[in-house]
Amino acid sequence: MIRLLQEFVLTRYRRFGSRARVEDWQQRQITTHLNWVCQHSHFYKHLSGKPLTDFPIMNKAIMMENLDDINTRGLKKAQLMETALKAEQTRSFKDSVVEGITVGLSSGTSGQRGLFLADKHEQQIWAGNILAKLLPRRCQTHRIALALRADSPLYSSVAKGPIQFFYADLNKPYQQWIAELDRFQPTLLVGSAQALQLCALHSGHFTSPEMRPERIISGAEVLTKADKAFITDRFSCDVHEVYQCTEGFLGCTDSYGQMRWNQDIVYIEKYWLNADKTHYSPIITDFRRRTQPIIRYQLDDVIVVQKDTGFFEPIGAIAGRCGDCLTLTQHGVNSVVLPDLVYRAIALASEQRIDYRIIQTAKHTLCIESSPEFHVLITNALTALFKQLKLDKVIFDYHPAPNWQISNKQRRVVNQC
């Protein structure tokens, strides 16, 4: 509890003064962290004394293949995975602990399994950070509800003092967990974009009164502008975003409504996805995590560039996954269409909120899943976009509106090629 409060106060009230000071401070943190990791992780031992740029690029596949050597506690992947899978199957997430280390399981948007490890010290650092950045600043009792696919002892570590915590299990029928949320009456509602949309559609239908959160936090999935507006209008409160994944607490919305990297926790390198440098894939180094070092870990996410003079760098948008970019052609040569261009084209075509999914099923074929009344509108919006991009002709197939499964991540643009 003492560690959590220290982290809360430090995170909420620390002032850097300028972005240059942030960057200088980060370099000192990175140097200290790499020295420690090289002394305790067999995987990184040979890089002792080397600069960050000499460390290899990491991803989920490499992490999982080498987890026995990467983690600094001598834990074995087989036991960790067995524990995490058992907790997933029994829904008893409090038991997802190995030798005092919390073990989280992530299927990820890609469907590839990943593991998240954190000791008690790291849990309190995480809890202090997330409470400092997400809770409203006024003093009051907070009721935090989490509507995500899986729970974790990491999440319940925020239940301290005047803070009550409730986990809504999305594997239950939605009528049941929404009614539970209505009864809990959260002041802060945290959930996936898909779960929040269901709350907006059905809160108050199965019990009364309906929930009235003071703040809503969306995470785990892409939140389109149209879906954000729908949730905001329904609950008459601000919808913030959090960039939280297996790799850490990476970013969140600030008090002015701008999403920013948590650069007091992570260092960001950019892998540019286009020549104009408008979109990139982030390469993450978390200089606070020691049990499972996250060093130069490249995510599969597409980030939209934005520039301003804030101390922490802004995130224009999380536009989707690199693997979900459409790969069409321009004069027979492959041309990538980023997901946010598709979201924007459809949003601009109608003032109505449209439930849709666009799936690339072949090189020149897209399947539009939506209510039949929107098929022509979406077709025209995408045709105009592709004409603007000077792409070759695309064939459209049509199916009914997507049947979303709350246990899977909502992806409005999918590339199956």
Side-chain angles (χ1 to χ4, degrees):
M1 184 64 179
I2 293 174
R3 183 56 184 159
L4 185 153
L5 289 174
Q6 288 175 335
E7 197 64 32
F8 177 91
V9 171
L10 189 62
T11 300
R12 176 158 283 194
Y13 299 108
R14 176 167 42 202
R15 295 291 179 267
F16 287 99
S18 69
R19 188 172 293 178
R21 289 186 180 180
V22 172
E23 293 169 354
D24 289 343
W25 180 83
Q26 282 189 319
Q27 292 306 315
R28 294 195 297 273
Q29 302 302 310
I30 290 169
T31 298
T32 300
H33 183 65
L34 295 184
N35 289 340
W36 189 93
V37 168
C38 289
Q39 293 175 24
H40 295 85
S41 170
H42 181 72
F43 184 84
Y44 289 112
K45 189 171 294 185
H46 69 287
L47 293 167
S48 180
K50 300 289 186 181
L52 179 64
T53 51
D54 283 0
F55 281 64
I57 297 294
M58 181 65 59
N59 58 34
K60 184 178 286 188
I62 299 173
M63 172 67 75
M64 293 304 294
E65 183 180 347
N66 296 278
L67 188 59
D68 289 2
D69 290 333
I70 291 173
N71 87 83
T72 61
R73 300 294 289 269
L75 303 173
K76 300 301 180 184
K77 184 181 74 172
Q79 183 184 6
L80 296 169
M81 184 62 74
E82 180 182 358
T83 300
L85 287 173
K86 184 178 179 181
E88 182 79 23
Q89 292 159 3
T90 63
R91 313 304 291 172
S92 180
F93 296 102
K94 63 181 175 56
D95 298 325
S96 190
V97 179
V98 175
E99 298 182 20
I101 304 299
T102 293
V103 185
L105 177 68
S106 169
S107 62
T109 312
S110 65
Q112 183 181 9
R113 288 174 178 171
L115 290 171
F116 176 98
L117 311 178
D119 64 16
K120 291 183 178 179
H121 180 76
E122 290 166 324
Q123 286 185 46
Q124 298 311 311
I125 290 176
W126 178 88
N129 265 281
I130 206 159
L131 290 175
K133 291 176 183 290
L134 300 187
L135 285 184
R137 288 190 173 264
R138 59 183 175 277
C139 294
Q140 65 178 87
T141 298
H142 290 285
R143 295 184 301 278
I144 301 176
L146 185 74
L148 292 175
R149 183 191 58 80
D151 193 9
S152 167
L154 182 68
Y155 300 143
S156 56
S157 64
V158 303
K160 307 289 184 182
I163 298 172
Q164 300 175 46
F165 175 82
F166 177 77
Y167 168 64
D169 190 346
L170 301 189
N171 283 274
K172 297 178 181 179
Y174 73 89
Q175 298 92 334
Q176 184 176 343
W177 60 261
I178 290 177
E180 291 172 348
L181 286 174
D182 284 337
R183 287 191 288 268
F184 182 68
Q185 285 295 307
T187 57
L188 180 66
L189 174 61
V190 184
S192 65
Q194 192 176 179
L196 296 177
Q197 290 168 59
L198 285 172
C199 288
L201 287 167
H202 301 293
S203 177
H205 291 184
F206 314 116
T207 187
S208 60
E210 63 183 28
M211 68 185 88
R212 285 294 180 188
E214 297 175 16
R215 177 175 292 178
I216 294 175
I217 310 289
S218 175
E221 296 173 345
V222 172
L223 179 68
T224 66
K225 289 183 178 180
D227 291 335
K228 183 177 182 178
F230 171 67
I231 297 165
T232 300
D233 291 345
R234 174 63 176 81
F235 289 112
S236 301
C237 70
D238 291 335
V239 176
H240 290 200
E241 293 184 71
V242 62
Y243 196 171
Q244 165 71 37
C245 55
T246 311
E247 294 72 37
F249 179 34
L250 307 181
C252 61
T253 303
D254 66 15
S255 57
Y256 299 100
Q258 173 61 55
M259 195 172 187
R260 296 185 182 277
W261 292 108
N262 289 333
Q263 289 177 293
D264 53 348
I265 304 172
V266 294
Y267 175 75
I268 310 298
E269 299 174 78
K270 299 180 179 69
Y271 178 83
W272 295 106
L273 298 175
N274 58 357
D276 293 334
K277 294 188 176 182
T278 60
H279 296 73
Y280 63 92
S281 175
I283 301 171
I284 306 297
T285 296
D286 186 324
F287 42 77
R288 306 295 293 276
R289 288 180 61 183
R290 290 185 167 184
T291 303
Q292 181 187 15
I294 301 295
I295 299 174
R296 303 199 79 199
Y297 192 112
Q298 184 169 354
L299 300 177
D300 192 38
D301 298 331
V302 178
I303 306 298
V304 179
V305 168
Q306 184 169 325
K307 296 181 180 180
D308 67 12
T309 58
F311 299 161
F312 291 176
E313 188 173 346
I315 300 173
I318 304 168
R321 292 177 57 249
C322 295
D324 284 341
C325 295
L326 302 179
T327 306
L328 303 176
T329 61
Q330 184 182 68
H331 306 303
V333 178
N334 283 352
S335 181
V336 172
V337 179
L338 295 161
D340 60 319
L341 296 180
V342 176
Y343 308 149
R344 185 173 183 274
I346 295 174
L348 291 175
S350 174
E351 294 183 358
Q352 288 183 267
R353 175 180 173 270
I354 302 175
D355 189 22
Y356 68 89
R357 178 164 53 196
I358 309 301
I359 304 175
Q360 182 170 1
T361 56
K363 190 170 185 178
H364 298 103
T365 305
L366 298 181
C367 175
I368 295 175
E369 293 184 353
S370 74
S371 295
E373 63 191 281
F374 296 119
H375 284 169
V376 173
L377 183 147
I378 295 174
T379 300
N380 291 341
L382 294 182
T383 300
L385 171 65
F386 300 154
K387 183 178 180 180
Q388 179 185 347
L389 297 174
K390 299 179 180 179
L391 300 179
D392 298 334
K393 184 178 179 180
V394 172
I395 299 170
F396 293 98
D397 292 332
Y398 303 95
H399 287 275
N403 180 22
W404 301 111
Q405 299 298 317
I406 195 69
S407 57
N408 297 324
K409 292 196 176 184
Q410 185 180 65
R411 296 155 60 193
R412 292 205 179 274
V413 178
V414 179
N415 190 334
Q416 293 184 345
C417 291

